[in-house]
Structures are given as structure tokens and as C-alpha cells.
Amino acid sequence: MKTGLWCVRKLSLIFLTLSILIPLSFTKAQVSAPGGDPKQPIDEAYTAKIKKYTTEPYFTSPLVDYLPASKTVPTPEAALGDIAGAPGILPYAEQVYKYMRLLESATPRVKVYSIGTTEEGREMIAVAISSEENMKRLEENRALLEKLADPRTIKLDDAEADKIAAEAAPVYYITGTIHSPETGAPTALMELAYRLAVDESPYISDIRNHMITLITPVVEVDGRDRMVDLYKWHLAHPKEFYPPLIYWGKYVGHDNNRDAMGVTLDLTKNVLNTFVEWKSQVLHDLHESVPYLYDNTVGDGPYNAWVDPILTNEWEMIGWRNVADMTKFGMPGVFTHGEFDTWSPGYLMFIAAMHNGISRLYETFGNGGADTRERTLEPEEYARTWYKQNPPLPKVLWSQRDNNNYEETGLLTSLHYFSENRVMFLKNFYLKSKRSIRKPYEEGPAAYVLPGDDPRPTLQADLLRVMQRQHVEISRATSPFTVTLPAKKKVKREKTAAAKKPEEKAEAKAETVTCEFPAGSYIIRMDQPYSRIADALLDYQYWSPDDPQKTPYDDTGWTFGELFNVQVVRVNDVKVLDVAMERVTIVHAPGGAHASGTVFAINNNAEPALATLRYKLKDATFDAAEDAFEAGGRKFDRGTFLIKNVDRSTLETTTRDLGLQAYALATAPEVRTHPIRAARIAYVHTWLSTQTEGWWRIAFDKLGIPYDYMSTQEIARIPDLNAKYDVILFPPVGWNLPATTIVDGYPTSWGNPLPWMNTPLTPNLVGKNDSTPDMRPGLGWDGVEKLQEFVDRGGVLLTATDTSNFAISLGLANGVSVTSPRKMKIVGAVVETQLVDLASPIAYGYGDKLAAYCDQGPIFSLSSIVGARQRGRLGPEMNERPTGRGRKSDQDFVVGRPEVTPPEQPESEDWQNPTVTDEEKYNNPRVIPPDLRARVILRYADAKDLLVSGLMEGGDEIAEHPAVIDVPVGRGHLVLFSVNPVYRGETEGTYSFVLNTIMNFDSLNADRKPDER
Ligand SMILES: [Zn+2]
């Protein structure tokens, strides 16, 4: 108790000291209160317009209800002709940039940096704003932050880090309008930049003097310009419906915010590089959807399992503080807990979470343009809840200015809070970086190893390039090495009485195995600052079906090694870090031509680069070996390319560039072959959505495979499809639409045409994609007939997920139906599949099994009889004996007659065409002839093996069912995918199913064994 007394005394001493200090800090707080500096004049006219365009007094704050005046620095009005957030005004990216550059020329507090271009060649910028002093020492400051970002440079010296944290200015990076229909951010960010540069109030000076604010006002620049075009069209045709924004960027729409894993899009690369090069602490991305400001910094569980808990605590601090500050201003509808889970690292803002920074995202309330509109909310949106004490109002007049007020107020309070606590946040930044470097010793793994003898070196190189885009360091072993790995766990035994005995339990002890890797194996060391992103992408994911979160916000699994069909070994043994290795800056699979001869053989391991080669060497003769063979002392697999009529030096250069190994043979090998052709491809999209097909397009463009891109309207107009094309690709639409919607499109019986064309009013709309005078008509029944005719006459139609549903429900695929899931829930997960028919050219290069991306199927079921009732598991199956004498295994017994043995019941697996009985065959024109039945290439694995990564519930409904089917139709083929083989740049391992189909389009029946059962 004595100690306790001493404590009390000591405490009161501290209290005394504190009370002396209190007046000081109180004064400081007062000085820093939000609101203008009375000594600085305000821009009266601008301020009056702010008031005019704000629809309710509580939709603003003391931070943004005035604009400070400046004699030298122009306000946003100079570029917009009106104030930021004015009704009817939506600037193009160029106007926004022009204003930012006006600021740059007017004040030393602003600098504009070009950070790269988009796929359509438009510029992306980052605007830095800080005090003159900070701007002068930007490089010096960057060098300080660099030491915190890579603590290896200061030998993990905490004292040194403390010193730096006390003097450096943190970088807070804000990004706007990645989602093009969410239109408010650019004007909010123009005005924010002005305020940060001009406002002399203590609240804003604090931010300017201690922080560097970095702004990319428009992330999706291509989409922004199209959106502004549409808005102008809308203003010119106020009484008409205006076309939906069918294209945002060149390739994808909303999914541009799901690219932070694969980093396939230029906008992701540019923001990621800017974030990392500036050694930023925060990435704060602005979106619009729910009223009025959802700061999803806190969000909801499950949180991503690879982030540092220091970060999740920062989320909590920042998010709740944001709500608190805005609540004090009396602004309704600000909240931070909500249904957004922080599991997937695919969001743009998550670049920060995975690179030791802080990720944040706002959803403010947007009107999808600059109209002021009356907005009526749903009851759940205006309900008061524990986390929404001052909820939005049920019905309000809402303006773009209101939206801008919320965005700017949220950002300014955030910047101020960050500035107040900058030393702590910089120290946290250092700690997160340090803990990333200490990962091998504190939590593991020590490294990931990608073996030097992987049979798919080009896919391995592609995977490593994803890591490099993520700024992950890669090393390569200079000699062979061994590591200790945990032995594979035994499958748990059934819970029998015996198994519960304690001695039996003890045998489950973990054992280890020693594993040897060859020289040249790649090692991704985890003792580096960005180890977390490598770990998150290469590891496995498990989402429990019992998780309280029942509506995952996005994909639940993504294991990159699996989806790239590349070997990746997680190594916990820290000895791996002592292996002799060198840093690799350029990853390239070795390629070229070896030996001499005129026939070149390239082994087929389902590498997409093979298709690139085929199209690059258009005039050479390519054949595929239908069997494995040996030649020149080497073994070649089935599907091996045999290339003739090619100039050696061309082949040499091309294979070297592509990372493929060609072996010259003196003579053509004795093996069955068929031609591999550069098929002419028609690539079909709808005018309903281009989001999901966009990922296919970018994959084809990157592989250099040409195609004619056309809409469902266009393909229906081509008189003879077979004369122009060998293969029609119809990639997923992405909406899981009923077939009739693809046929019908939008309603045309009412309303006005929805043009998607470049006109003087809409000069950016079409870009590098497609155009139509009216988006509404769909494929039409003529179009359906055209597709059917194309296949009948020998063409190949390839569909996936919802377009497979479309083909099946229109009756194009005899004997294939789709079963509706009952309890099944597979949300963007990685599943295991098994090859069923390795002899099919579609399967060339694959092994017995591989992982694939699956999002809820569809579940394909087969029948050998057209229009037959599904042999589902719904009704009772009469395969069991009736009630009677004997045991269950005995045959039934009939009194008064000799025993008769019934014929054996035919059995078939879920991936097979069911056997047709003699009874069924008799006089039955609906029985599909054996050579016209579906040929199953790939199936889903057995239920117990099905889940690789992510969330799966009721997986037995799809287990063992077909995943890729080749259905003969007339003289052609319909190739149906249940998995999505080409997705978000994350699934290169399954690309070759599509590419094989294309290159073997006229030989798909190779080695087909008619189903005689
Ligand atoms: Zn959004």
C-alpha cells in the first residue's frame, strides 16, 4: 500500500505540472480552431455562391463555408466559370489540370507532377501542396521519409527513427474519381488545393506547415472525359434518357478499383508508383454512393489477415475521429462502421495498406453529374443506428456543392488530425516497415521460393513481374540449396471411439521434410519493407462460412501461385535467407532456338506465350503433336508445337523475346499431328455491360492476339460469319443476366435512342472501343440464329459463366443444362479442378489438376437425352431395395417364385454423360448420338478437395460437375466454361484453355472417344 500512496503523491505532482501547461495547450487549440482568419479577407462573391448552392445550412462546415481571397492566386472560378460544385458544371480532366497548373504558376506552395498516362494516352497528374519551406526541401524530406520507409537504411535504429519522425513532413495522398459516374471529387479537390495554398487561418496553416498534401484529382482520366461528354449530352437533351456509361477506361469499368493485386491497368501502376516513390503515409480514395459520408476506414470485418495490427488500430483512430469532428460541425449522415469488409487487397486504396501506409476510402453522396436533385432515401439509409447517431434525412434537395462540402470538410479534418499526430503516424509508418522487415523472425514466413525448374517459366516470370510492379524485391539462388518444410498434415480421421484415445491423438505430431531447390530458383525474401503484399498475394485464404460477415464485399480468395499454375513454396525456415543469392531487377524466362534442323519443337506446358508465338509467326506452319514423343534425345509432351517454314533467325528472336525454348530437329518426328492455326476471332460484347469482358480484352491485347471487337448488334448484321471468322468469343457480361436480356437489350418500345458515338458534343465517348447510334437493341433472335448457324457450319463459339448460361438456356448445347444452386455459396474463390480428357486439344499442356477462379458456377449437368428430366439429387432415387426380408445388402425376395437377379444399374459420375439404358434407347429420337454428346475437358474436384482459397459453402453441389465442356453442334463446337478463365489479370494459369480452343478450332475432335454408353 505504501507504494500506492507514493504513486498518488507522484501523480498529483504530475497533475500540478500539467495544470501549468494546460493554458498553453488550450491557447493552441483555440488558435487552431476551424474557420477563417479574421485578418485575411474573404472572396465575397465566391462565398455567396457557396451559400447559394448549398441546399441546407447543415450541409456545410466552418471549414468550407467561405473562401479566403488572394490577390495573386486564382480561384477555381478561373477555370470553371463558376465555383467548385456549381450546378451544371462538370470539368474535363484537362480543365482540372489547367487549373492545377495555374495554381502552380501563381504560388510556390503548389507543384504539379506528371505521373504517367492511361491506356488511351491521357495524362495523369499529382499535385503537391505545402508551405514554401517544405516545398523547397521536398527532396530532403523525401530522403528522410525514405529512411522510415526502408528501416534497413538506418539499421533498424529506433532512436534515429524517432528523430526523423519529429522533423519530417508526412505525405497524405488523395485520389479522386476512379469511378467515373462518381463525379464530385475533381471540383472538390480543385478547391481543396486552393484552400491549402491560400488560407492563412491557423487550422489550414497547421496542415500546410507540417504536411505535404498530394492530390491526383482524376484517377480514371479516360472515363472522366467520357462521363463529362455524357453529362453535356444530358444537358443538351434534358427531357431524354441519357446513355449509361458503358465504357469507363479502355478496358474495365468499376473493376478499375479491383486491380491493386494484379496491377494490370495503367492507372493502378501510376498511383502505386506515386504512392511508393513519395514514401506516402496515407492513400485516401474518393468515391460516391451512400448518403452522406461513409468513411469506410473502419468498415467491417473480416479485416485482411496480412495487415499489421498497428494499421487496423490507425483505421479505428482515424475513422472514429473523422466522425467525431464532422458530428461537431452538426453535419448529418457521417459514419465509419458499415458493411464494407477489408478482406480483399484489390482496392486502389489498399496499395497503402499493403505498403506500410494507411488506406482510406470515402463514399459521399453523388448525383451522378452536376444536377441538383431531390433525393429520397430507403428506410435503412436514414435509420438511426449505434454507429449513425445523426443519420441522413429521408428526403432532401441535394447538390454537387453539398457533396463537395462533405468531401472537403472530411479531408480537411483528416489532414488536420494527421498533422496534429504526425509524429505518432510517422513513427507507426517506421514501425510497420520495420515489422515487415522482421517478418521472418517474428511471424514468418521467411521467404517464398519459386523453383528454378518450374515447367512453366513464362508464367513464373509473369507472376514475378506482378511482384515487381508491387515493388517487391526478388532474388535468385546462385547455387542449389535445401530448406526444411513442414510435412503435409494427415487428413483428420473420422471420430470413432478409438480415435478419441489419447495415445492416438499424440501421433498427429508435425514432422518435417527437407526440400532441395536448384540453382536459379527465385527467392522472395520476407525481410524487406514490402513483404506484406508478397505474403498476401502468394498465401492461401480461408473465409469461414460461419463468419459473421454474410455479404463479402468482393473476392474471398486469390492465391496467385495457384491461379498462375506456378509452383510457389512458403518457407518458414529462416536458413533460406542465408542461401547464396543475387538481386534480380529484370525477370525474363530464358528462350531461344537450340540445335540445328528445319523442324522446331516447342514443348507445350499450357503457357499463353505459345499463342503469342503462333500469331507472331503468322506465315509459318504450325502443327500440334497428338501424342508424346522423343526426338533429339528429348522428351516432348502431347500438344508440342512443331514449326516448319520459318526463318531460323526470326524464330530465334521471337522465342527469345517470349521466353520459349525451341529445339531444332533433323526431321519431323513420327507422331500424329494436326494444324495449329492463327484463327480469325470475332470478339462479342453487349451494350449492357463491358466490365467483365474487358479483362479478356486486356489479356488478349497483352498477348498480342488480334480480334475483331464487335457488339451483339454488329454480329447479327454480318451476312456470312463463317466466311470471316473461325472462332466467336463471347466472354462474360458480368451481370448474370437472363438469356432474354442479351437477346432483347434495353426496351425499345418506349423512350429515346441511346447513342454511343463521337459527335462535336461528345468527342471522347467512343475512344478506342465501339460505337452505335442506339445502345438499346440486343443480339435479337436473328442474331441467335446467326450464332447457331455459325456453329452448325463448323465455327467454334466459346462462352463463359453467364454467356454459357445464355447459350445453354437458348438450347444451343444439346444435353447440357444448368442446375440452380440450393445452398451453395462460392464467392470469388479459388477452386481445384481436374482434367478429365487430357487428349482433347483444349487440354494441351495441362497436368492432372489445377486451380481456377470460380464465382458461384454455373453448375453444369449433363444428359444423354435431349429434354430428359435432370438426374438431380432432388427426388428419391430408386436404386435401393424395397422393404422386405433379409438384410439391406440382400436382394429382395418374392414368395412363390424362383429368385431372379436384376441387371446391374448403370452408374455414371457427375461429370459424365449418363448411360442410356436399352429401354431408354428404344424408339427414342431424343437420344443424343454418342459422337454428338458433350466432351468434358475439365471438372470441379471432389467436394473434399474443392476449396483452395476463399469462401465455400455447399460446395458439394458443384463438386465433380463439368467445368469446361466441348459440345459438338453440327459441324462445329460450342465450348462452355463454368469457371471464368480470364479474370482481373490474376488467372493466367487458365488462359490456355481459351487459347488452345482458338488455335485448335478445326481439330477439336482430335482423339475424341465417342461416348458409347
Ligand atoms: Zn466507387
Side-chain angles (χ1 to χ4, degrees), residues 529-672:
Y530 301 142
S531 60
R532 253 164 241 292
I533 180 66
D535 194 20
L537 296 186
L538 298 174
D539 207 347
Y540 289 80
Q541 294 78 40
Y542 177 69
W543 182 306
S544 164
D546 295 328
D547 194 281
Q549 177 63 263
K550 294 300 172 202
T551 50
Y553 204 80
D554 204 71
D555 287 343
T556 58
W558 51 79
T559 313
F560 268 58
E562 294 281 356
L563 291 176
F564 273 67
N565 203 12
V566 163
Q567 299 167 35
V568 176
V569 185
R570 191 176 203 260
V571 179
N572 276 318
D573 181 358
V574 291
K575 282 213 303 281
V576 69
L577 301 174
D578 300 329
V579 167
M581 63 178 97
E582 55 194 16
R583 273 285 298 281
V584 179
T585 46
I586 295 164
V587 178
H588 191 76
H594 311 275
S596 57
T598 49
V599 182
F600 296 89
I602 302 181
N603 215 343
N604 192 337
N605 282 309
E607 291 175 279
L610 290 168
T612 307
L613 181 75
R614 179 65 196 96
Y615 278 89
K616 266 194 194 286
L617 305 180
K618 264 201 333 280
D619 301 324
T621 309
F622 279 60
D623 288 295
E626 294 184 355
D627 299 296
F629 64 94
E630 275 191 54
R634 303 193 148 263
K635 285 184 173 165
F636 293 93
D637 298 330
R638 181 196 277 127
T640 290
F641 277 18
L642 296 167
I643 308 169
K644 282 179 287 192
N645 302 325
V646 63
D647 160 57
R648 180 173 180 125
S649 74
T650 311
L651 182 83
E652 183 127 27
T653 334
T654 320
T655 48
R656 202 180 307 121
D657 287 351
L658 293 173
L660 296 169
Q661 305 273 12
Y663 297 93
L665 306 175
T667 51
E670 291 285 314
V671 64
R672 294 182 302 145

Side-chain angles (χ1 to χ4, degrees), residues 117-120 124 259 264-271 698 702:
T117 52
T118 65
E119 279 82 3
E120 294 191 357
M124 287 178 71
D259 186 45
T264 308
L265 304 173
D266 289 343
L267 63 85
T268 318
K269 272 174 232 169
N270 294 337
V271 170
I698 196 169
K702 283 184 189 291

Side-chain angles (χ1 to χ4, degrees), residues 23 76 122 211-212 264 353 380 442 470 502 577 616 630 700 826 833 882 978 1002:
R122 290 182 179 85
M211 306 263 292
I212 294 158
T264 308
E380 65 268 21
E442 309 297 342
Q470 295 281 4
L577 301 174
K616 266 194 194 286
E630 275 191 54
F700 273 66
I826 301 176
T833 60
S978 161
D1002 58 351

Side-chain angles (χ1 to χ4, degrees), residues 233-241:
W233 195 94
H234 157 66
L235 291 180
H237 306 82
K239 297 239 163 68
E240 293 183 34
F241 297 113

Side-chain angles (χ1 to χ4, degrees), residues 307-308 311 315 349-359 532:
V307 296
D308 194 312
L311 169 62
W315 284 338
M349 58 145 180
F350 228 72
I351 286 170
M354 291 282 118
H355 294 82
N356 302 321
I358 300 169
S359 53
R532 253 164 241 292

